[in-house]
Amino acid sequence: MKALLSAYACLPNRGTEPGNGWGLAVNLAQLGLEVHVLTCLDNRDKIAEQLSKAVIPGVQFHYVGHPLAM
């Protein structure tokens, strides 16, 4: 089963909203779902850094820029 998660704030090792987005993505993957996460383009470097340390099977991140900033 696949899941599309919109988590504009999604960062590893953070609290509140960014941490909740990250945690939800990881937990859904651990339940066996193929998770596609839409998140902020600004999160790319921190997410890539975390994924270089530990791959999360079943999770793919798709980065979206804010339309007014493009």
Side-chain angles (χ1 to χ4, degrees), residues 2-61:
K2 296 180 182 182
L4 176 62
L5 175 61
S6 176
Y8 197 74
C10 180
L11 289 170
N13 306 315
R14 298 292 161 97
T16 62
E17 189 175 349
N20 287 334
W22 182 265
L24 184 55
V26 171
N27 287 328
L28 289 172
Q30 289 174 342
L31 291 172
L33 278 73
E34 178 183 327
V35 184
H36 293 265
V37 183
L38 299 176
T39 191
C40 178
L41 182 61
D42 295 340
N43 298 338
R44 182 185 298 213
D45 292 341
K46 290 185 172 113
I47 290 173
E49 180 181 329
Q50 180 66 28
L51 294 177
S52 73
K53 298 175 188 174
V55 175
I56 304 170
V59 179
Q60 287 188 327
F61 292 92

